[in-house]
Amino acid sequence: MSIWNARQVMRYFLHNKGTTDRIDIPAISLTADYEVKFDLWMPVPLATKVALGNSADVNEFFSVRVDGSLEHKIDSVGLLAPIGTFTFSAFNTITLARVGVSTTIKVNGATVGTDPTSMTGTLTIDRLLAYANAGFNVNGIIANVSIIDSG
């Protein structure tokens, strides 16, 4: 694992078994413009799995659902990407970005979800492949995690 600072950029790689394993990272609170980008591979899960999360708050996360839809939530406000957006058993490059008050989800460079106004709260990430609730850990691989805080 390597970490370097270029306005708060961190990169990680982890193959998770999906039970209780996860990686805890230094907490990053994103309050203004940001971009979170990572590659994620996982087989079809039996339940929703959380790729990015907050160890203390169940209302801040990014998850992949059984139907291939994606959910990004900040302070109980959610943004959903359609069913089939995530391709299982293949690497997907996921980008979560906020510019001003507009938040977007991209998969492999294509915009799949946009919220133009309501996701303005603070996003805190301190856990990869899991979050505050047990049982949502990803069985898969996360790579090239980049968190850029432009605020």
Side-chain angles (χ1 to χ4, degrees):
M1 173 172 32
S2 64
I3 301 174
W4 70 92
N5 189 344
R7 259 204 175 249
Q8 197 164 16
V9 174
M10 298 182 195
R11 293 191 184 274
Y12 298 88
F13 173 87
L14 177 70
H15 180 189
N16 220 40
K17 295 183 178 111
T19 52
T20 59
D21 49 341
R22 63 176 191 262
I23 186 165
D24 293 325
I25 63 173
I28 301 168
S29 293
L30 306 170
T31 57
D33 295 355
Y34 62 80
E35 180 182 86
V36 179
K37 189 173 185 178
F38 57 97
D39 297 325
L40 184 64
W41 178 96
M42 61 188 280
V44 177
L46 298 176
T48 297
K49 299 298 178 179
V50 175
L52 304 172
N54 181 331
S55 63
D57 189 344
V58 297
N59 291 308
E60 292 181 22
F61 62 85
F62 176 80
S63 67
V64 179
R65 295 176 171 196
V66 177
D67 60 9
S69 62
L70 306 172
E71 182 177 15
H72 178 36
K73 190 175 270 191
I74 301 173
D75 296 336
S76 299
V77 177
L79 171 58
L80 290 173
I83 292 172
T85 300
F86 187 88
T87 304
F88 293 105
S89 299
F91 270 102
N92 295 260
T93 299
I94 310 291
T95 305
L96 309 174
R98 180 166 65 197
V99 176
V101 297
S102 181
T103 304
T104 59
I105 299 173
K106 292 183 180 180
V107 177
N108 299 324
T111 299
V112 295
T114 301
D115 185 323
T117 59
S118 61
M119 296 184 72
T120 58
T122 298
L123 172 62
T124 300
I125 300 170
D126 66 357
R127 190 166 279 176
L128 303 179
L129 304 176
Y131 81 135
N133 282 350
F136 294 91
N137 302 53
V138 170
N139 170 15
I141 299 170
I142 191 168
N144 301 317
V145 177
S146 172
I147 300 171
I148 301 170
D149 181 8
S150 300

